[in-house]
């Protein structure tokens, strides 16, 4: 037994079980990154097959400490939701002024939170048992998103028609005059969520995967392209942060495969030149001009005002153990705090929130630099944009965090990473 993970990771395991785990693992990742929703059931494909895996493998998880914590937190979330059925039996008003109910406003968020835990424990256990490397899946995902971003840059209206294949409703966004309302969001529902998850995926590939330096430079340019397409101000900050950390790693701490410090500096200089050329090219497009204007005019003042108006010490104390059940209701009206910390406290309670943050945003076995690079975009997105109430976002987030903490390649890359990559 691995004392760090609390799971069985050695001994003789039948090849059929390993093949089954890897098959489900691949299908779940492909569903989160490439597959459309199963519309007639209002779910994703992975929401159907993941419970089957737990039925087959559930007995092997009883010694997993994180699984036990997840079960307790799922219980708290469900309890908050059930209490909301009684507390808001007369309903409440949604932000648009229409009447809302617990099932329409809170049940979807609670279901997504539950599946966040299920995804994380599933990914962790398959990675520990089978040593699955997620690198190829993440590369496919980035190139796939870059292709969609290319369609968006060429013709935004065409992109929204193509994107409808991945939406739950299948509706096509009808465009009028092009402005920052019509932003690129990949297959997600929010461009800020997209930019955060893309930067976190980029960080994992840069810091935790064996890839040629030339490919890593290409990935940096691809990520820049996607972030500009999303017109996300926070995405720009995430990208620059990851790129800065990688530049430190590349120049000062990387493996000796690059023969000299001078060559590293020159390589970095060439990348910066290519990056500037790409940015200048994008800036001269219609979408690029809108992006630059949006970033220049954007400010956190509006977010601070929302946080100030939503913050209630009395409500936090009242929500010590239980919450509103998946939405934030103040004075009979659903409000959006635009802050994951407040949203979780109000929705599921302070105890749930503290355990949630410790479980998902703690550093693991990987090096400090790689942990910061991968977790920072996710944590900041959680802080300023919530993020965790979107299924595809939380699925990829769970994959990244599980792999960051528990993947160890056959040649011992985890050990190499912690020593050589700072």
């Amino acid at each position: 037994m691995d004392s760090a993970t609390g799971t069985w990771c050695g001994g003789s395991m039948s090849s059929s079980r390993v093949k089954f785990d890897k098959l489900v693992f691949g299908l779940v990742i492909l569903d989160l990154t490439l597959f459309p929703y199963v519309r007639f059931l209002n779910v994703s494909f992975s929401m159907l097959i993941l419970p089957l895996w737990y039925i087959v493998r559930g007995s092997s998880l009883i010694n997993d400490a994180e699984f036990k914590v997840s079960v307790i937190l799922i219980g708290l979330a469900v309890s908050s939701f059930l209490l909301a059925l009684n507390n808001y039996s007369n309903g409440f008003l949604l932000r648009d002024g229409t009447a809302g109910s617990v099932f329409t406003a809170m049940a979807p968020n609670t279901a997504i939170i539950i599946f966040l835990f299920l995804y994380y424990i599933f990914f962790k256990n398959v990675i520990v048992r089978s040593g699955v490397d997620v690198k190829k899946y993440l590369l496919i995902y980035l190139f796939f998103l870059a292709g969609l971003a290319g369609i968006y840059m060429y013709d935004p209206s065409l992109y929204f028609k193509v994107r409808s294949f991945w939406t739950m409703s299948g509706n096509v966004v009808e465009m009028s005059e092009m402005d920052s309302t019509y932003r690129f969001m990949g297959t997600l529902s929010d461009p800020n969520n997209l930019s955060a998850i893309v930067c976190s995926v980029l960080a994992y590939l840069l810091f935790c995967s064996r890839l040629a330096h030339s490919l890593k430079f290409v990935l940096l340019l691809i990520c820049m392209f996607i972030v500009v397409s999303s017109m996300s101000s926070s995405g720009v900050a995430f990208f620059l942060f990851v790129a800065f950390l990688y530049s430190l790693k590349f120049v000062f701490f990387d493996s000796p495969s690059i023969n000299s410090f001078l060559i590293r500096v020159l390589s970095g200089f060439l990348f910066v030149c290519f990056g500037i050329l790409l940015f200048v090219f994008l800036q001269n497009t219609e979408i690029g001009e809108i992006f630059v204007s949006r970033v220049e005019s954007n400010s956190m003042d509006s977010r601070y005002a929302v946080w100030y108006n939503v913050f209630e010490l009395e409500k936090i104390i009242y929500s010590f153990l239980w919450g509103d059940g998946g939405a934030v209701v103040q004075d009979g009206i659903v409000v959006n705090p635009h802050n994951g910390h407040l949203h979780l406290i109000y929705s599921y309670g302070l105890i749930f929130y503290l355990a949630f943050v410790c479980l998902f945003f703690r550093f693991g076995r990987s090096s400090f630099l790689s942990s910061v690079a991968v977790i920072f975009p996710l944590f900041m997105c959680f802080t300023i944009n919530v993020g965790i109430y979107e299924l595809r976002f939380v699925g990829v987030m769970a994959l990244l965090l599980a792999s960051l903490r528990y993947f160890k390649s056959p040649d011992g890359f985890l050990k190499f990473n912690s020593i050589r990559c700072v």
Side-chain angles (χ1 to χ4, degrees):
M1 179 182 289
D2 188 327
S3 59
T5 65
T7 57
W8 292 99
C9 57
S12 59
M13 179 180 291
S14 67
S15 60
S16 60
R17 289 186 177 184
V18 174
K19 289 179 180 178
F20 172 73
D21 285 350
K22 288 185 176 181
L23 174 63
V24 178
F25 189 88
L27 289 175
V28 170
I29 296 178
L30 291 175
D31 172 66
L32 293 169
T33 56
L34 301 180
F35 291 174
Y37 289 117
V38 184
R39 287 178 185 161
F40 70 95
L41 294 176
N42 264 6
V43 296
S44 73
F45 179 67
S46 60
M47 296 175 76
L48 299 176
I49 63 173
L50 201 56
L52 298 177
W53 183 89
Y54 275 91
I55 292 173
V56 174
R57 293 284 184 265
S59 60
S60 65
L61 303 175
I62 58 175
N63 293 315
D64 187 335
E66 289 185 328
F67 174 70
K68 295 176 182 177
V69 172
S70 297
V71 170
I72 294 173
L73 294 181
I74 289 174
L76 288 175
V78 172
S79 298
S80 292
F81 173 75
L82 294 177
L83 286 172
L85 290 174
N86 177 67
N87 295 338
Y88 300 107
S89 57
N90 295 325
F92 39 74
L93 294 179
L94 301 177
R95 290 191 294 274
D96 60 4
T98 60
S101 69
V102 172
F103 280 102
T104 58
M106 299 178 179
N109 288 345
T110 301
I112 291 172
I113 287 293
I114 291 173
F115 269 90
L116 169 57
F117 293 109
L118 296 180
Y119 284 131
Y120 175 72
I121 297 299
F122 163 72
F123 287 137
K124 166 194 168 180
N125 277 270
V126 176
I127 289 170
V128 168
R129 295 166 186 269
S130 305
V132 182
D133 189 354
V134 303
K135 174 177 62 180
K136 61 182 178 181
Y137 296 106
L138 298 180
L139 286 171
I140 292 172
Y141 186 45
L142 277 190
F143 280 100
F144 167 68
L145 291 176
L148 290 180
I151 296 174
Y152 175 78
M153 280 291 186
Y154 172 73
D155 185 350
S157 62
L158 175 61
Y159 157 72
F160 285 110
K161 291 178 182 177
V162 173
R163 177 182 172 272
S164 66
F165 177 73
W166 285 277
T167 62
M168 186 68 77
S169 66
N171 295 333
V172 178
V173 175
E174 298 294 338
M175 291 185 58
S176 54
E177 184 179 354
M178 181 61 195
D179 57 30
S180 60
T181 304
Y182 306 104
R183 298 160 61 188
F184 175 70
M185 58 192 80
T187 58
L188 302 186
S189 61
D190 186 282
N192 296 317
N193 291 349
L194 172 74
S195 63
I197 208 69
V198 163
C199 290
S200 189
V201 168
L202 172 70
Y204 182 88
L205 291 172
L206 294 179
F207 289 87
C208 305
S209 299
R210 284 192 181 278
L211 296 171
H213 289 287
S214 56
L215 177 56
K216 290 184 176 182
F217 289 157
V218 171
L219 294 177
L220 279 161
L221 296 176
I222 285 176
C223 186
M224 178 194 298
F225 179 57
I226 295 172
V227 168
V228 171
S229 300
S230 71
M231 306 186 199
S232 172
S233 302
S234 58
V236 173
F238 302 154
F239 173 77
L240 292 176
F241 180 80
V242 172
F244 172 73
L245 290 185
Y246 179 66
S247 66
L248 294 180
K249 169 185 177 293
F250 176 71
V251 174
F252 297 107
F253 302 109
D254 233 327
S255 64
S257 57
I258 297 181
N259 295 325
S260 71
F261 177 81
L262 179 60
I263 293 178
R264 296 185 195 185
V265 173
L266 290 176
S267 299
F269 176 75
L270 289 175
F271 163 73
V272 171
C273 291
F274 277 112
I276 292 175
L277 289 174
L278 175 62
F279 180 77
V280 170
F281 169 76
L282 295 175
Q283 187 180 20
N284 290 325
T285 64
E286 181 182 16
I287 293 171
E289 292 175 355
I290 297 173
F291 162 74
V292 172
S293 175
R294 186 177 186 278
V295 170
E296 290 177 346
S297 61
N298 211 353
S299 171
M300 281 294 293
D301 292 343
S302 58
R303 288 292 168 90
Y304 296 147
V306 171
W307 298 347
Y308 178 80
N309 292 330
V310 173
F311 181 84
E312 288 185 15
L313 182 59
E314 181 180 353
K315 188 173 180 66
I316 292 177
I317 297 174
Y318 178 77
S319 303
F320 181 77
L321 191 57
W322 318 110
D324 287 338
V328 179
V329 182
Q330 290 185 321
D331 300 324
I333 302 175
V334 172
V335 297
N336 185 3
H338 281 289
N339 182 289
H341 306 274
L342 292 175
H343 213 302
L344 276 190
I345 293 171
Y346 291 161
S347 293
Y348 303 113
L350 181 61
I351 297 299
F352 179 96
Y353 159 74
L354 293 174
F356 180 95
V357 171
C358 291
L359 179 63
F360 289 109
F361 296 120
R362 63 178 173 81
F363 290 174
R365 294 179 173 183
S366 297
S367 67
F368 177 78
L369 194 61
S370 57
S371 295
V372 170
V374 174
I375 294 175
F376 177 79
L378 300 174
F379 181 77
M380 291 307 298
C381 181
F382 172 73
T383 300
I384 64 178
N385 205 51
V386 184
I388 56 171
Y389 293 127
E390 181 163 6
L391 186 72
R392 287 173 176 147
F393 179 91
V394 300
V396 179
M397 168 181 159
L399 174 66
L400 291 169
L401 295 178
S403 190
L404 175 69
R405 292 166 184 161
Y406 296 108
F407 173 67
K408 182 177 181 180
S409 66
D411 60 356
F413 176 65
L414 185 59
K415 180 179 179 182
F416 169 87
N417 188 42
S418 63
I419 296 174
R420 301 294 306 193
C421 299
V422 187

